[in-house]
Amino acid sequence: STAGTVSFDSTGLTSGTYTANLCITSNDPDPGPGNETELVIVPVTLTVQAEPSIAITKTVGTTPGVCATTSVIDVAAGTTVYYCYTVTNTGDVTLNAHTLVDDQLGTIFTNFSYALTPGSSVNTVAAGLSIPAVINSSTTNVATWTAAQSSTGGVSATATATATVNVASIEIVKTVGTDPGVCGTESS
């Protein structure tokens, strides 16, 4: 008897248990057990488990009701910015319950009901949410989106966005000259 290894590729299979027979032709002169041939039949079972997985992006812009195209923005102090969070189901099961928490803005929603099928995406603007913030100092927020098949457990992903406050400055150089209407060349 010789041990052997058998590998299965479950790519494209949905969750579940699959059964089959592995048929091996033997050159052993003794007939296979129970079938009186050189054929050895080995029953096999393959269990495929669902693999939930998500990816999140977070963007920031100054136009309400629109997902910006960048996660970094420069603004003046006091500017209202709008955050957009987009989640993509990168796994192979539909995710129905969603929670989004931002470390600067707090909980955006908890157990939001939305059937996010494998390969599809949804963003907060499309879901009818506006998420504004008045930026008075440079801020980087971290968002954590958790998605699950039901209201418990699930998988999480994080993303960041940064709003940098530009501080205006003016430099004045005083020069002295003797010709009226012409800037001098010497500093005083």
Side-chain angles (χ1 to χ4, degrees):
S1 137
T2 303
T5 301
V6 177
S7 298
F8 296 97
D9 181 359
S10 63
T11 303
L13 295 177
T14 58
S15 299
T17 301
Y18 297 84
T19 58
N21 290 322
L22 181 61
C23 299
I24 303 169
T25 302
S26 170
N27 62 359
D28 189 336
D30 294 329
N35 63 6
E36 306 301 326
T37 68
E38 289 93 23
L39 186 64
V40 177
I41 300 172
V42 180
V44 293
T45 302
L46 172 65
T47 301
V48 178
Q49 295 180 340
E51 291 294 329
S53 176
I54 60 172
I56 180 177
T57 57
K58 179 178 180 184
T59 59
V60 59
T62 56
T63 305
V66 174
C67 287
T69 59
T70 183
S71 62
V72 178
I73 191 171
D74 293 329
V75 296
T79 300
T80 299
V81 298
Y82 297 87
Y83 293 103
C84 178
Y85 308 79
T86 302
V87 66
T88 301
N89 184 343
T90 56
D92 58 6
V93 296
T94 297
L95 302 168
N96 298 304
H98 305 269
T99 297
L100 176 59
V101 178
D102 187 292
D103 72 332
Q104 299 296 311
L105 304 174
T107 299
I108 309 299
F109 49 77
T110 301
N111 287 327
F112 177 69
S113 180
Y114 182 85
L116 187 64
T117 58
S120 63
S121 298
V122 68
N123 65 58
T124 50
V125 172
L129 300 174
S130 177
I131 305 164
V134 176
I135 303 299
N136 289 308
S137 61
S138 295
T139 304
T140 297
N141 338 28
V142 178
T144 302
W145 191 303
T146 302
Q149 288 179 290
S150 63
S151 61
T152 60
V155 292
S156 296
T158 60
T160 61
T162 301
T164 303
V165 173
N166 292 323
V167 179
S169 65
I170 298 174
E171 181 179 338
I172 299 175
V173 177
K174 180 180 168 187
T175 59
V176 177
T178 55
D179 293 328
V182 176
C183 292
T185 57
E186 296 183 23
S187 300
S188 63

